[in-house]
Amino acid sequence: MTLLPAFVPLPTLVLSAVLAASVAHADTYPTKAIRIIAPFAAGTGPDTNAREIAGELTKLLGHTVFVDNRPGASSIIGTEAAAKAAPDGYTLYIGTTSSLSVLPHLYSKLPFDAEKDFAPVSLLGVLNTGLIAHPKVAAADARQLIALLRARPDSLNTASQGVGSYSHLAGEWFGSASGTKMTFVPYNSSSPYGDLMAGQVQLMFDGLPAAAGSIRAGKLKLLAMTGKARHPAFPDVPTFEEAGLPDYRPLAWQGLLAPAGTPASVLNRLSEAMQQAAKNPELAEKWRQYGGELRATTPEAFARFIADDRAMWGKVVRDARVKLD
């Protein structure tokens, strides 16, 4: 029987073994296909983004990276599945503003802990929020709309993708920040854009992937966008700050995460691949055309980003007094 040298503390040996295993894992990972659970439906804007980044990661990592769509229950189904997956680096998760920043404030009990059950890898990108209007709305920008709504409260209907959705809460935040009132119309299982273009509803607060084409075709108009400066894809559209709302800054984001407990070496390997993928000029241009930015980060920077975003949306939800249970 081999005895441990008396001068080597057992905790030191254990730590050395863990570090050695982590280094070995980093040298060989990945050795097989990687699944990315997406808590949204196939064919949607976020799904397209996820599949594009999966294609880039496939090239960079040398093994297939594929998207596994698990929509339903306001993204709870997919998020729970990802949280309970093995932390081995072969099941990942595309998190969003709604799933990780908003949901924890809407429900008093969830089948996952948004803060403790995931290990951030990297931000994927951010999308500025636009104030989208039917062309016949009698306002050329957000400042004029605010004046209109103050003079005639609740005179315009605002579409949302359901109570507690990103579009609903972004609208509630705008109303609180601007001192205006609108009538919210929830579309729980269908897209509101058809009714918005038909004038059945007059306004919507949302990211721009679904609306950009209609805006450029003149079927919808964009009254304002979030951001510190005007976006290069929409240089004629003023920011909300120009409308007198400097603290109104909802931002839709997507990012890559892993189940908690995934080795740090794997997280760093994936983060490095994401940062390399973000250098693809074609992908970056697609995000710009949608009023956003392809943006990769380190795991630590992404963790700070989520924490700040979650705290910000917590205040929005409390101020709007929205609860879904």
Side-chain angles (χ1 to χ4, degrees):
M1 186 174 83
T2 302
L3 297 177
L4 295 176
F7 57 88
V8 180
L10 184 58
T12 300
L13 289 174
V14 172
L15 178 59
S16 298
V18 171
L19 291 174
S22 179
V23 170
H25 200 91
D27 289 340
T28 59
Y29 174 84
T31 60
K32 60 181 181 179
I34 299 170
R35 173 180 63 151
I36 301 179
I37 293 178
F40 31 75
T44 59
D47 176 64
T48 299
N49 298 335
R51 290 177 187 277
E52 288 175 344
I53 204 66
E56 289 299 307
L57 291 177
T58 294
K59 299 174 190 175
L60 293 165
L61 296 173
H63 288 272
T64 300
V65 180
F66 65 95
V67 175
D68 177 8
N69 298 95
R70 299 285 189 95
S74 300
S75 78
I76 293 175
I77 291 175
T79 306
E80 179 184 9
K84 294 180 178 178
D88 57 6
Y90 293 98
T91 296
L92 306 176
Y93 171 67
I94 290 285
T96 67
T97 312
S98 295
S99 64
L100 294 183
S101 292
V102 174
L103 273 183
H105 303 293
L106 293 175
Y107 293 90
S108 57
K109 186 176 182 180
L110 288 167
F112 59 86
D113 187 315
E115 184 176 355
K116 296 179 180 180
D117 288 349
F118 294 97
V121 172
S122 170
L123 192 63
L124 167 57
V126 297
L127 290 168
N128 286 305
T129 297
L131 171 47
I132 307 162
H134 184 270
K136 290 187 178 180
V137 170
D141 55 33
R143 189 178 291 276
Q144 291 184 13
L145 181 74
I146 291 170
L148 173 63
L149 289 171
R150 286 175 178 171
R152 297 166 51 198
D154 288 322
S155 60
L156 297 178
N157 292 332
T158 303
S160 79
Q161 291 161 332
V163 176
S165 66
Y166 179 88
S167 51
H168 172 220
L169 293 172
E172 291 280 5
W173 187 356
F174 175 83
S176 175
S178 63
T180 59
K181 291 184 178 182
M182 299 161 284
T183 300
F184 286 91
V185 180
Y187 286 73
N188 294 312
S189 59
S190 62
S191 171
Y193 281 102
D195 281 359
L196 183 59
M197 285 187 282
Q200 299 299 315
V201 288
Q202 293 80 46
L203 301 171
M204 186 169 180
F205 297 82
D206 202 7
L208 300 179
S214 297
I215 292 168
R216 293 191 173 99
K219 296 178 181 179
L220 295 170
K221 63 181 178 180
L222 188 57
L223 303 184
M225 286 178 64
T226 53
K228 295 181 179 179
R230 294 192 181 194
H231 196 279
F234 300 92
D236 297 328
V237 177
T239 65
F240 284 100
E241 184 167 353
E242 290 178 72
L245 304 177
D247 295 326
Y248 180 73
R249 53 186 190 280
L251 199 67
W253 58 265
Q254 287 179 249
L256 188 68
L257 302 98
T262 300
S265 59
V266 171
L267 302 179
N268 290 328
R269 176 80 176 93
L270 290 167
S271 176
E272 290 167 1
M274 287 285 285
Q275 291 175 62
Q276 187 65 30
K279 295 177 181 178
N280 182 315
E282 293 181 5
L283 282 188
E285 180 58 27
K286 286 182 180 180
W287 279 76
R288 278 194 293 271
Q289 289 300 311
Y290 293 150
E293 178 188 358
L294 189 65
R295 186 196 302 174
T297 63
T298 65
E300 295 79 12
F302 188 29
R304 291 192 297 270
F305 177 92
I306 296 174
D308 291 344
D309 193 65
R310 185 180 293 131
M312 181 179 72
W313 282 104
K315 183 178 186 307
V316 173
V317 172
R318 290 191 299 273
D319 289 348
R321 298 181 180 179
V322 179
K323 270 292 187 184
L324 297 184
D325 61 0

